[in-house]
Amino acid sequence: MLIPIRDHNPSVRRPFVTYALIATNILVFIGYSDLFAQERELMNFFQSWGMLPARLGMGEGFATLLTHQFLHGNLVHLGSNLLFLWIFGNNMEDVWGHFRFLGFYLLCGIAAAGLQFASDPNSVIPMVGASGAIAGVLGGYLLFYPRARVDLFLFLIVIFRVIPAPAWVVLGGWFALQLLGGVSTPAGVGGVAYWAHAGGFIAGVVLSYPLWQRLGGRAFWSRCLGQPPHPEARYRFVASNVPRSGKPARFRPNPWHRK
């Protein structure tokens, strides 16, 4: 298992919007966390506020194009999404500015829902999760900083390592996996909303392209060879008391799309 844990691309300005998005997702999750002990009520909640393709097809529930972005199926779902937002969101907020970044983020989430809807417009499986919007952040990041260094945590039974890799490998590989997952997953099956991930990522690249051009386009890359235009962050590695192995947790598949 390879998990991104940080990049070496410090932000210039404090990312207030990124912090606010993280806090909002956490507070919303806490707000309905009591429903996890009541499976039927939880499903009704997700059907009301998650993105339900069949409902959109009937011309209803357009508000869920926004609300679904702040709902999550469990703590792992929430934590993994916010980890990616924490790592990559600050740099995109730097590029866009605070309020434009918020608009960019939400539009990517809407685009993600749009492609998921197009992939199975009659689906009655609600989709929840922030990662369609966060996928847009990843797409924009890849366009601006393809060679920024990203640290990956390698977990392989008893092996623990931190492996650096350029952003184009990490994020490009992630996008390829979403396409592969979308093509190989039959319509009408709950689980990961791969097409939402792909749609958000593509929207992030498309929406960021005009700004990238204004900053110089290829000339922007040439100045720093695709790396951030400022000194990279450096981290000191210290010994850890993390145990080397453990019994993996068992999870039941969720009857909704998570992204």
Side-chain angles (χ1 to χ4, degrees):
M1 181 180 293
L2 285 169
I3 304 172
I5 57 172
R6 63 194 175 199
D7 66 355
H8 290 251
N9 187 2
S11 57
V12 175
R13 70 183 90 189
R14 194 173 296 276
F16 294 112
V17 173
T18 299
Y19 293 161
L21 288 169
I22 291 173
T24 300
N25 277 280
I26 292 172
L27 290 174
V28 170
F29 185 83
I30 292 172
Y32 66 86
S33 58
D34 289 346
L35 296 179
F36 285 99
Q38 309 168 60
E39 188 169 337
R40 178 173 296 180
E41 285 75 10
L42 180 65
M43 178 55 67
N44 289 337
F45 178 77
F46 283 160
Q47 286 178 335
S48 297
W49 299 105
M51 194 282 288
L52 199 64
R55 186 180 175 194
L56 287 181
M58 294 187 295
E60 301 175 358
F62 291 108
T64 63
L65 293 172
L66 289 176
T67 58
H68 84 276
Q69 299 181 38
F70 297 93
L71 307 178
H72 292 85
N74 52 46
L75 274 173
V76 174
H77 187 202
L78 174 70
S80 59
N81 278 347
L82 297 189
L83 174 64
F84 275 78
L85 182 56
W86 173 262
I87 295 172
F88 301 105
N90 60 334
N91 300 114
M92 291 308 296
E93 187 171 344
D94 245 355
V95 171
W96 281 97
H98 301 304
F99 294 107
R100 288 195 302 167
F101 171 70
L102 178 60
F104 165 79
Y105 176 93
L106 296 175
L107 282 174
C108 288
I110 293 172
L115 187 55
Q116 186 66 30
F117 168 81
S119 70
D120 190 5
N122 298 315
S123 173
V124 293
I125 302 174
M127 183 181 73
V128 298
S131 61
I134 295 169
V137 173
L138 305 186
Y141 190 102
L142 178 61
L143 179 63
F144 284 102
Y145 309 115
R147 296 188 62 189
R149 189 149 64 109
V150 178
D151 285 342
L152 302 169
F153 179 67
L154 170 65
F155 169 69
L156 184 61
I157 307 177
V158 296
I159 299 175
F160 297 91
R161 294 286 187 275
V162 175
I163 302 174
W168 71 267
V169 171
V170 177
L171 303 182
W174 180 88
F175 177 62
L177 288 175
Q178 307 317 303
L179 292 178
L180 180 62
V183 170
S184 60
T185 301
V189 176
V192 178
Y194 292 109
W195 289 119
H197 292 170
F201 191 95
I202 293 169
V205 175
V206 171
L207 291 173
S208 296
Y209 185 80
L211 179 57
W212 176 72
Q213 286 281 48
R214 287 199 297 272
L215 293 176
R218 290 184 177 274
F220 177 79
W221 279 349
S222 299
R223 286 196 295 271
C224 303
L225 300 177
Q227 297 179 2
H230 45 255
E232 70 173 24
R234 297 190 178 277
Y235 303 98
R236 296 177 61 185
F237 297 94
V238 297
S240 171
N241 294 321
V242 176
R244 288 187 170 271
S245 65
K247 185 177 180 180
R250 298 178 64 185
F251 297 96
R252 291 186 306 165
N254 292 323
W256 53 75
H257 277 127
R258 60 188 184 276
K259 66 177 187 64

